[in-house]
Amino acid sequence: MTVGLVIVSHSVRIAEGVVELAAQMAPSITMAAAGGTDDGGIGTSFDKVQAGFAGADSGDGVVVLCDLGSAVLTAETALDFAEAPERIRIADAPIVEGAVAAAVAAESGADLERVLAAAQDQAPAAGASAAAPAASGAAAVLEVELANEHGLHARPAAELVRTASGFDAQVTVNGVDAKSMLRVLALGLDRGTVARFEATGAQATEAIAAIEALAAEGFGE
């Protein structure tokens, strides 16, 4: 089971489009589009959001992304009537970037609080389950000149994040957390740029070896 996502928008097409985009990066994650009013107009629907909560929750919880203020109010109202409100988190995050980052984190096996943190691009809340801090030691380092036509854009960045997240190690690329989709994308690494990967911790060597293999395959492209 994995954490699911619900996308709440005033527009049916926006909600469905965000789900479609996020699914390109994380095809195994259950996502529900709760867009528009009950008759398909512009607005939000309590019933659609409530159905989205039920449809996206496989048992590990749901992270909700909203587009505008009244969408948040609708989601909060639906949360008040949810059967398991403790398994639902409403993210304070941009709907598109947050959904993509959350979906990649969920597909990497992150729990509810870490998926929420990925959407909001922050550390998990105090008390949330998390991997133990990586052991100190010399860093394993890899430098790669990016050959992808569009550099480290969304799809290859998602592959990198999934790969880095699979190891008990702190991994960075050009100084930012390689397990954060939003931070990797913010680097804007184009074709021909040298990406410097560093890893420390119990599985640092394995993490760098996996990234080297991924880079040799064009980061999945």
Side-chain angles (χ1 to χ4, degrees):
M1 294 186 293
T2 56
V3 175
L5 301 183
V6 177
I7 309 302
V8 184
S9 172
H10 284 66
S11 164
V12 173
R13 286 182 289 181
I14 288 176
E16 292 177 346
V18 172
V19 167
E20 181 182 15
L21 177 61
Q24 295 295 310
M25 316 301 160
S28 71
I29 300 305
T30 301
M31 291 179 261
T37 60
D38 291 330
D39 61 2
I42 296 296
T44 56
S45 161
F46 172 89
D47 289 339
K48 284 187 176 184
V49 174
Q50 200 170 46
F53 289 172
D57 188 3
S58 64
D60 284 348
V62 171
V63 170
V64 185
L65 283 299
C66 305
D67 62 355
L68 298 172
S70 57
V72 176
L73 293 176
T74 303
E76 290 175 340
T77 302
L79 178 59
D80 288 338
F81 289 88
E83 292 185 2
E86 71 279 2
R87 294 208 303 266
I88 301 170
R89 300 289 186 275
I90 300 173
D92 181 10
I95 190 170
V96 177
E97 295 91 335
V100 170
V104 171
E107 191 162 71
S108 299
D111 65 14
L112 180 60
E113 297 304 331
R114 296 186 73 81
V115 172
L116 176 66
Q120 299 180 155
D121 192 27
Q122 62 186 34
S129 60
S136 60
V141 177
L142 170 69
E143 291 190 347
V144 175
E145 182 176 332
L146 298 176
N148 298 67
E149 182 179 357
H150 301 293
L152 212 57
H153 65 98
R155 283 198 181 106
E159 292 295 333
L160 170 62
V161 170
R162 274 193 288 268
T163 299
S165 297
F167 295 93
D168 178 15
Q170 296 170 338
V171 186
T172 63
V173 51
N174 287 22
V176 308
D177 184 1
K179 298 181 182 181
S180 168
M181 183 74 173
L182 296 182
R183 296 187 188 191
V184 172
L185 288 176
L187 288 171
L189 299 179
D190 295 324
R191 182 177 185 177
T193 301
V194 174
R196 179 181 173 86
F197 300 94
E198 295 189 28
T200 58
Q203 294 184 306
T205 301
E206 294 92 333
I208 289 298
I211 292 171
E212 184 173 21
L214 181 65
E217 298 170 353
F219 292 93
E221 290 195 314

